[in-house]
Amino acid sequence: MMLRLPWALNPLKINDITEKLAVVYGRAECEARCKLATAYRLTHFMGWDELIYGHLTLKIPSTNYLLINPFGLHYDEITASSLVKIDINGKVIDAGTSKFDFQRTGYIIHSAIHQSRRDLNALMHVHSRAGVGVASTVTTILPICQHSVFIDPVSYHPFRGIVTEEAEKLELAANFKAPSKCLLMRNHGLLTGGGTIEEAFFRMHMFQTVCQAYIDAGYTHTNRFVPADNVIDEYVIEKSKRAAAAQTGAPGMLEFAALARKLDRAGYETGYGNKW
């Protein structure tokens, strides 16, 4: 999906961190807040969001604190200062500048993975149309296009109802183990992780594209299976992973920076790349 920005006379800027708040947050947190708020806006402009639902989280470097969205703001309303800072146990450390609390469901899902996967500093969980469609119909995601290179291996988690119980954290952790960075939450949506929010966003883009390819090819129809000749050989997938890593370096960094510049040109003032 191509990023399309609506025209706005006075776009709500993403980096709304004042000089006073910058002193309170410190450099690392300012950077983390701008990056995560930018990711929320990009998620909206990519069309992956659903009303106020879904969550993106980012661990503040050298801390055990997470940034999460205030539950009640639309993704195109989220700013750097509005993000809520919580600890891994769900205690609010900084409520942010909005009047909204964070959602417990988001905390349970994300804290389970942040606790069990120390390699994943950033997580994205969305209920996109293509993602929900595939999560509701496809048993196993096969490599059907080159974008599959960037989501392999995919993990799976069954639907147990709306997540409200701490007990589900153990099953989530058990079903999403390294080296997987893409989780299909059956009948629910998609989740990706990365060492950075840029990587998590990059993998979500690839995951979304694969899901849309499944839908466009008709592989989500009842009893419609992927023909064997259309499945990419595992050897080709592994060879392509190595080639991609050699060409692009850290996953998602160049792509995310390019989209952030697009937001900046449209007047959204992301603060991405600022030297605090």
Side-chain angles (χ1 to χ4, degrees):
M1 179 178 291
M2 184 178 295
L3 178 69
R4 294 184 174 88
L5 302 181
W7 182 86
L9 181 62
N10 294 302
L12 180 63
K13 68 178 184 179
I14 294 169
N15 176 19
D16 63 343
I17 298 175
T18 63
E19 290 185 6
K20 183 177 179 180
L21 283 176
V23 172
V24 173
Y25 295 152
R27 178 179 177 179
E29 185 171 337
C30 285
E31 291 181 352
R33 284 178 174 273
C34 286
K35 286 183 178 183
L36 186 60
T38 298
Y40 271 103
R41 295 294 187 93
L42 289 174
T43 298
H44 165 63
F45 289 127
M46 296 296 284
W48 302 338
D49 55 339
E50 180 203 16
L51 301 177
I52 60 172
Y53 306 112
H55 306 277
L56 285 63
T57 53
L58 178 61
K59 184 179 179 183
I60 300 172
S62 302
T63 74
N64 288 317
Y65 299 144
L66 303 174
L67 295 172
I68 192 171
N69 55 315
F71 186 63
L73 291 185
H74 193 273
Y75 281 24
D76 71 350
E77 298 179 295
I78 292 174
T79 65
S81 72
S82 70
L83 293 165
V84 181
K85 179 165 64 174
I86 62 174
D87 68 15
I88 203 68
N89 298 311
K91 177 183 177 183
V92 174
I93 306 301
D94 187 314
T97 56
S98 83
K99 64 180 180 180
F100 298 104
D101 198 357
F102 70 96
Q103 188 192 37
R104 182 166 178 78
T105 293
Y107 156 72
I108 292 175
I109 294 172
H110 286 241
S111 65
I113 298 169
H114 279 295
Q115 285 177 310
S116 63
R117 293 288 303 274
R118 298 305 174 95
D119 58 319
L120 302 181
N121 296 313
L123 299 173
M124 293 183 62
H125 170 51
V126 302
H127 307 151
S128 63
R129 185 172 178 178
V132 172
V134 169
S136 302
T137 56
V138 176
T139 302
T140 303
I141 295 181
L142 299 173
I144 62 169
C145 57
Q146 67 175 357
H147 303 81
S148 304
V149 169
F150 303 98
I151 70 170
D152 181 71
V154 176
S155 297
Y156 303 87
H157 180 70
F159 185 63
R160 306 294 188 196
I162 294 176
V163 181
T164 58
E165 301 295 332
E166 292 270 345
E168 191 164 347
K169 292 172 73 170
L170 292 176
E171 188 178 18
L172 264 167
N175 289 335
F176 192 33
K177 293 184 178 296
S180 177
K181 294 185 178 180
C182 295
L183 177 69
L184 185 79
M185 301 183 75
R186 299 195 188 282
N187 309 101
H188 186 166
L190 307 179
L191 186 146
T192 61
T196 63
I197 190 63
E198 293 92 336
E199 180 184 2
F201 185 91
F202 173 75
R203 296 196 187 282
M204 182 60 74
H205 170 74
M206 296 300 175
F207 209 177
Q208 284 286 141
T209 303
V210 170
C211 288
Q212 190 62 56
Y214 254 83
I215 291 169
D216 292 345
Y219 294 149
T220 57
H221 294 178
T222 303
N223 296 325
R224 180 72 186 273
F225 298 101
V226 181
D229 289 346
N230 290 2
V231 178
I232 301 172
D233 186 80
E234 184 63 25
Y235 166 76
V236 175
I237 291 290
E238 293 301 323
K239 183 179 72 172
S240 299
K241 284 182 185 179
R242 294 191 295 271
Q247 289 177 10
T248 60
M253 298 300 289
L254 294 176
E255 295 86 349
F256 194 93
L259 293 179
R261 291 195 299 272
K262 188 166 186 174
L263 289 179
D264 285 333
R265 289 194 298 273
Y268 287 91
E269 298 183 34
T270 64
Y272 185 80
N274 280 11
K275 303 299 181 183
W276 297 91

